[in-house]
Amino acid sequence: QRVVDDVLVGFGDEYYDVMGYVIANLNQEQATELNVLNFDYCAYLPGEGHVSFLLSRDDLDSKYGKIELTALNADVNILNDQLNGKTIFTAANGSLESGKAFKILESGHYELHTHAHLYGSLPLGAPFEIAAAALKIFGGNQQKIVCAEATNTQRLNLYSVYK
């Protein structure tokens, strides 16, 4: 409809007592440190954070880059071959279940990164990784970065960020 050129979209995660209680009772072993790339145990620590995007119509020039959903709930084993040679930012959050999908990715031939040490174990890791990818592309010579978000032990959502 082209009513507006830009829209501000924000994602937030808030820690509250009930969430802390549920997480403590679901985890057999309570995590004591943030170690989101160790996929052999649960390292989920609840936290808070917010990330916002200023999104523009696709026919307008973008200062930072473009975001595109490239796979929705896709089997990680099938994606493994398609991702070879790519730079991947994982929205690893320390969850043992989603970590199993990322563990499969570890065996591929690509660069695997996470920035969870900056934002913690938030369920909203994907928007934070997309923002990190946009900043890396804007500030460097990289043309495309794939952001991966696990939906369960075998499935991923993929977002491509590019110039």
Side-chain angles (χ1 to χ4, degrees):
Q1 292 186 340
R2 312 252 184 240
V3 176
V4 297
D5 291 339
D6 303 299
V7 63
L8 184 63
V9 179
F11 305 91
D13 190 23
E14 180 180 0
Y15 177 81
Y16 51 94
D17 291 339
V18 173
M19 185 175 88
Y21 175 80
V22 170
I23 291 168
N25 285 302
L26 287 178
N27 291 339
Q28 296 296 333
E29 298 176 23
Q30 184 63 35
T32 57
E33 64 178 320
L34 183 63
N35 190 359
V36 295
L37 292 178
N38 183 343
F39 303 127
D40 295 322
Y41 71 96
C42 186
Y44 182 87
L45 292 171
E48 297 183 334
H50 188 86
V51 64
S52 296
F53 296 101
L54 181 61
L55 301 175
S56 300
R57 292 189 343 225
D58 60 358
D59 61 335
L60 299 175
D61 285 335
S62 172
K63 182 177 181 179
Y64 291 99
K66 297 181 184 272
I67 304 168
E68 180 180 287
L69 177 64
T70 53
L72 183 63
N73 205 29
D75 188 313
V76 68
N77 295 301
I78 295 169
L79 293 173
N80 223 357
D81 292 335
Q82 297 173 13
L83 294 172
N84 276 337
K86 303 237 181 343
T87 299
I88 303 170
F89 284 11
T90 65
N93 65 7
S95 162
L96 185 58
E97 290 303 305
S98 62
K100 290 177 184 175
F102 293 132
K103 189 169 188 166
I104 294 169
L105 286 181
E106 279 187 318
S107 62
H109 302 286
Y110 30 73
E111 291 181 56
L112 197 60
H113 303 275
T114 188
H115 298 86
H117 59 284
L118 299 175
Y119 60 78
S121 296
L122 299 178
L124 293 172
F128 281 93
E129 293 298 337
I130 290 169
L135 290 172
K136 181 160 179 75
I137 287 172
F138 177 72
N141 59 3
Q142 197 143 11
Q143 294 295 313
K144 185 174 185 179
I145 295 175
V146 176
C147 297
E149 169 188 40
T151 59
N152 65 27
T153 60
Q154 294 286 319
R155 300 210 164 287
L156 295 174
N157 293 335
L158 296 181
Y159 308 89
S160 293
V161 181
Y162 57 95
K163 284 186 179 180

